[in-house]
Amino acid sequence: MNTLKLLILLSACFLVSCAPISNADGAADTLDETMHIDAHTYANVDEIRTEHLHLDLEVNFENHTIYGVARHKMSEHNTDTAIFDIKELDIKKVTIGKDNEVSTDFVIGKHSDLLGQSLKVKIKEDTKYINIYYQTTDKTEALDWLEPELTAGKKHPFMYTQGQAILTRSWIPLQDTPMNRITYSADVKVPVDLLAVMSASNPKAKSKSGEYHFEMKQKIPAYLIALAVGDMSYTSFGNKCGVYSEPELAEACAYEFVDLPKMIETAENMYGEYRWDQYDIVMLPYSFPFGGMENPRLTFANPTILAGDRSMVSVIAHELAHSWSGNLVTNATWNDFWLNEGFTVYFENRIMEEIYGKEAADILAITEFQELEVALIDIESGDHPEDTQLKLQLDHRNPDEGMTDIAYVKGAFFLRTLETLVGREKFDEFLTRYFDEHAFETITTEEFVNYLTAELLEPNSIEFDVNEWIYESGMPDNCVEIKSDRLNKMEVVAKKINEGTDVFKGEFKKVKRSDFITQEWQTFIRSLDTSLSPKMMKEIDNHLKFSTEGNPALKSAWFQLAVQTGYQDVRPEMAAYLNKVGRRWYIEGIYQELKDSKHEGDLVWAKEVFADAQKNYHFVSKSTIQEVLYN
Ligand code: BES
Ligand code: ZN
């Protein structure tokens, strides 16, 4: 064992053993005083843990409020205080007991913008059940309440939650740390014309009463509890999978996701049985801040992946892969986030390779690598250059800051490089065993490194500098390289444009957008010079129609370049796009370019657009863009 690992292990042991029993006077609320391994929770999970959570909820669309009772069944314990995480929740009362509930004292700690507040509940030695009566407020960060205009059908409102990383505490009072896993059940009442679905067993159709019951029998971390309510119907793909969507989107979803049953089968053949019984997707409105979110049994998805040509299905491969990496084996803290995302991007690519072939999978991996290269430059010149290490140090920071291409792409290339070294067969055996032996558990980076060393590297006498990849900045020299002729060709054409050649009289004479897939066009756009003239940009746009007919991924790349090149004619289309799409990674780059722009009036214009568009964004995107434009 090297010194670094030893130090980390020692400090981890120190933190567990000396966590003080928190007092209920509301004073000991700074992280340094409560000292847990997960710096993003107040919960004293080292003393008492929720085992099962039952939710009684009523979703009220008139005043945008969830009224709830969170009924916690606690583990055996030896403490007089149970500490939960809350953020901007209105706590009405707390009781203990099951059939015979009695009120108990509770203290709410000081508010922190980052972590919210602690809720300290007085309990007895034999307390098994803690019931927290509460309602959400208009400051909730997890919930997005949409007026009918923002839905596909435009007739009914919609609501969904986003829990990862630490937003669940803003709609449920609980121990909001992945270090604890719980089962949950829920009784949810919604308006009668709407359907409710959760990351649990789900109804296939609306009920007459608007009441629904849910069960999640497998243990999950708190960030995976999720709820969506809207005018939805279910389309089955047979074989335990299907999609919930507004009826208006059902056909598009059925077309885009035809390969879903094959993906599940492929994933199972690779890394073992799918352990969650059912795999469905729920198609949310455009404001959803992510392409996809891996809520167990029910991936939440953004309509930007309905490209019409199945070119975005890797997002589904990704969320499905999380059923192993992330949901089955979970990062213990947000500093270990790469264990969730790096493994998932690697696994996603393997699924894509199996179904669509090596060339398609390589094209995807290269486009991701292009994004990593941009991220590396950004991070190295930013406030936290150390964020290019896989193992992060996010204590006292928003865990959201870890959602960069380091965790995703550097993480995936770490595994790819290992695979190349040991051979695919051995590597797959190793990963299958890793998922199996850590199923329904959480894991730290250090534990993973130990497992890797003992189970793969040492038995096969493989020399590999794991520490360089995980604890050092930048990209190690031994990183595998991938090439694609198809992408090279796009770069060549772009380069010709950069040099002033009229490719629309040459190789692009008869070109149509449908001649190439999204990733090829992304490479093309990314290879164009930021010094192109607005006139040239307009000509390319006239031929290829990125700003009018491009799918959201292409528009995102194209509008960034439009800002850089001063192609301002495109502002109406850009404003329409920024008003419609709330997927963070698709809009953040555009706002960032507008902020950094050297062209007249761009920042002022961006602020005007955002002032209007922000009502269409979820808190996650809104707060990120606010930060981009105003800080
Ligand atoms: N789990 C993530 C989304 C996430 C990460 C939410 C961190 C909150 C905090 C999800 O699986 C994801 O990675 N989505 C990507 C998909 C892409 C990489 C294929 C997205 O939304 O773009
Ligand atoms: Zn992911």
Side-chain angles (χ1 to χ4, degrees):
M1 183 183 302
N2 67 30
T3 352
L4 182 58
K5 261 192 272 172
L6 186 67
L7 267 176
I8 288 163
L9 275 176
L10 278 176
S11 59
C13 299
F14 172 76
L15 287 178
V16 190
S17 59
C18 72
I21 295 178
S22 317
N23 52 5
D25 62 10
D29 262 341
T30 66
L31 288 171
D32 304 312
E33 283 168 69
T34 42
M35 281 209 288
H36 297 292
I37 302 181
D38 177 6
H40 295 107
T41 183
Y42 291 111
N44 53 341
V45 285
D46 49 334
E47 295 175 318
I48 181 167
R49 295 167 181 254
T50 300
E51 288 174 348
H52 180 83
L53 171 66
H54 178 76
L55 297 167
D56 282 320
L57 304 177
E58 189 189 328
V59 182
N60 187 317
F61 278 85
E62 252 121 64
N63 53 16
H64 291 180
T65 305
I66 294 181
Y67 298 88
V69 190
R71 302 181 183 280
H72 293 261
K73 179 173 175 238
M74 310 305 294
S75 61
E76 295 274 315
H77 59 87
N78 196 357
T79 173
D80 60 0
T81 309
I83 310 179
F84 299 92
D85 295 294
I86 58 173
K87 192 170 195 185
E88 305 291 2
L89 284 180
D90 189 356
I91 304 296
K92 303 286 183 198
K93 67 169 176 179
V94 183
T95 67
I96 50 180
K98 194 171 183 203
D99 302 318
N100 214 338
E101 293 180 32
V102 282
S103 284
T104 187
D105 289 342
F106 63 91
V107 179
I108 294 174
K110 245 194 356 256
H111 172 89
S112 132
D113 282 342
L114 178 59
L115 301 179
Q117 293 153 299
S118 63
L119 170 66
K120 294 177 179 167
V121 176
K122 188 112 200 112
I123 57 172
K124 303 203 183 86
E125 232 165 72
D126 62 350
T127 298
K128 186 110 191 123
Y129 295 92
I130 303 175
N131 314 295
I132 308 170
Y133 291 70
Y134 71 101
Q135 68 184 59
T136 61
T137 66
D138 57 2
K139 293 213 187 80
T140 173
E141 295 176 356
L143 305 181
D144 193 6
W145 300 92
L146 303 169
E147 297 305 325
E149 306 81 74
L150 293 178
T151 66
K154 310 212 183 304
K155 287 195 289 285
H156 300 271
F158 205 104
M159 194 280 301
Y160 64 84
T161 66
Q162 167 60 36
Q164 200 179 9
I166 53 171
L167 306 185
T168 304
R169 64 190 67 177
S170 82
W171 76 285
I172 308 172
L174 44 51
Q175 299 178 315
D176 198 3
T177 166
M179 290 188 62
N180 189 34
R181 305 181 73 99
I182 60 174
T183 54
Y184 84 88
S185 51
D187 286 301
V188 182
K189 187 164 169 31
V190 304
V192 282
D193 46 359
L194 304 180
L195 179 72
V197 287
M198 292 192 82
S199 51
S201 60
N202 274 311
K204 293 272 191 293
K206 288 177 189 165
S207 76
K208 287 215 173 65
S209 62
E211 289 167 350
Y212 299 93
H213 179 75
F214 302 91
E215 299 270 348
M216 169 43 80
K217 294 209 161 84
Q218 289 91 342
K219 289 200 274 176
I220 60 166
Y223 73 88
L224 294 176
I225 303 176
L227 168 69
V229 183
D231 176 30
M232 290 180 279
S233 59
Y234 184 66
T235 309
S236 169
F237 299 153
N239 198 23
K240 295 187 173 183
C241 64
V243 58
Y244 292 89
S245 73
E246 291 185 67
E248 291 78 3
L249 295 177
E251 209 176 305
C253 290
Y255 176 83
E256 208 79 24
F257 306 139
V258 263
D259 290 331
L260 184 55
K262 228 192 295 177
M263 282 187 178
I264 299 172
E265 195 188 311
T266 305
E268 286 194 299
N269 287 340
M270 225 142 29
Y271 297 129
E273 187 199 352
Y274 177 76
R275 311 261 205 135
W276 309 87
D277 309 319
Q278 178 81 21
Y279 181 86
D280 293 320
I281 298 167
V282 58
M283 188 49 70
L284 303 170
Y286 279 100
S287 69
F288 186 56
F290 304 103
M293 173 67 215
E294 68 271 25
N295 298 315
R297 298 179 64 120
L298 185 67
T299 283
F300 280 28
N302 185 300
T304 51
I305 68 180
L306 297 173
D309 60 1
R310 298 177 185 147
S311 61
M312 291 288 139
V313 290
S314 62
V315 175
I316 296 303
H318 178 97
E319 305 314 333
L320 171 67
H322 270 307
S323 308
W324 286 260
S325 44
N327 296 1
L328 194 59
V329 185
T330 307
N331 55 208
T333 77
W334 299 113
N335 293 333
D336 309 300
F337 183 56
W338 78 278
L339 292 177
N340 275 18
E341 297 300 341
F343 278 64
T344 300
V345 172
Y346 172 81
F347 191 173
E348 161 201 337
N349 199 266
R350 294 289 307 276
I351 297 173
M352 295 301 287
E353 177 180 331
E354 207 59 44
I355 298 183
Y356 304 102
K358 181 150 169 56
E359 190 182 42
D362 281 352
I363 284 178
L364 270 172
I366 295 171
T367 6
E368 287 160 359
F369 200 83
Q370 295 165 357
E371 288 154 18
L372 173 63
E373 286 177 318
V374 176
L376 280 164
I377 294 169
D378 274 3
I379 296 171
E380 276 159 8
S381 63
D383 294 342
H384 289 283
E386 73 281 8
D387 285 356
T388 65
Q389 302 167 17
L390 286 176
K391 168 86 186 190
L392 296 170
Q393 309 294 337
L394 296 171
D395 302 9
H396 307 288
R397 294 167 61 195
N398 192 330
D400 232 31
E401 290 180 41
M403 197 195 172
T404 74
D405 281 305
I406 300 302
Y408 284 79
V409 187
K410 183 181 175 183
F413 271 84
F414 167 64
L415 297 178
R416 217 178 231 274
T417 303
L418 270 175
E419 181 212 305
T420 310
L421 215 62
V422 299
R424 186 166 274 193
E425 203 180 320
K426 278 208 178 108
F427 196 58
D428 280 355
E429 266 170 35
F430 166 75
L431 283 182
T432 307
R433 232 155 34 81
Y434 167 71
F435 290 131
D436 194 48
E437 288 174 15
H438 298 89
F440 300 109
E441 286 175 12
T442 57
I443 183 162
T444 62
T445 298
E446 294 69 36
E447 285 164 344
F448 169 72
V449 170
N450 289 341
Y451 187 80
L452 175 73
T453 309
E455 304 296 327
L456 188 71
L457 301 181
E458 277 174 10
N460 293 294
S461 314
I462 287 165
E463 289 283 324
F464 188 83
D465 195 344
V466 179
N467 290 329
E468 183 188 9
W469 274 89
I470 295 180
Y471 300 108
E472 288 177 27
S473 303
M475 289 302 285
D477 292 336
N478 66 351
C479 180
V480 287
E481 216 184 308
I482 316 171
K483 293 200 168 67
S484 154
D485 286 343
R486 274 166 62 185
L487 294 188
N488 286 346
K489 280 188 192 138
M490 299 311 273
E491 280 176 26
V492 169
V493 183
K495 203 157 160 235
K496 284 194 180 164
I497 295 179
N498 295 339
E499 287 160 356
T501 312
D502 188 353
V503 298
F504 297 105
K505 292 212 174 86
E507 51 267 79
F508 265 16
K509 193 162 180 194
K510 290 206 175 103
V511 75
K512 293 189 299 303
R513 254 199 356 276
S514 55
D515 294 342
F516 299 98
I517 63 169
T518 301
Q519 290 75 18
E520 289 170 296
W521 285 124
Q522 278 175 322
T523 301
F524 171 74
I525 295 171
R526 290 167 183 174
S527 307
L528 289 171
D529 260 351
T530 54
S531 59
L532 287 182
S533 68
K535 189 162 160 275
M536 189 65 218
M537 287 293 287
K538 192 170 186 143
E539 195 187 330
I540 301 171
D541 216 3
N542 283 340
H543 282 98
L544 297 169
K545 307 213 172 355
F546 290 128
S547 57
T548 48
E549 295 167 22
N551 68 36
L554 293 182
K555 281 188 179 168
S556 178
W558 183 246
F559 290 144
Q560 285 186 52
L561 186 67
V563 176
Q564 290 169 319
T565 55
Y567 171 39
Q568 294 186 342
D569 286 6
V570 85
R571 276 185 176 179
E573 288 81 7
M574 199 180 341
Y577 176 80
L578 292 171
N579 267 281
K580 177 174 174 180
V581 175
R583 182 174 173 183
R584 178 165 63 180
W585 275 355
Y586 277 12
I587 57 174
E588 185 183 354
I590 301 176
Y591 281 110
Q592 188 68 57
E593 290 306 336
L594 286 163
K595 159 100 190 227
D596 299 340
S597 171
K598 54 182 191 302
H599 301 286
E600 187 68 31
D602 271 353
L603 179 57
V604 174
W605 185 78
K607 288 178 173 171
E608 270 168 33
V609 172
F610 176 60
D612 195 29
Q614 61 167 312
K615 64 179 186 309
N616 307 344
Y617 300 162
H618 180 278
F619 167 81
V620 161
S621 294
K622 205 186 305 183
S623 55
T624 299
I625 306 304
Q626 177 80 27
E627 185 80 16
V628 167
L629 294 181
Y630 290 93
N631 288 318

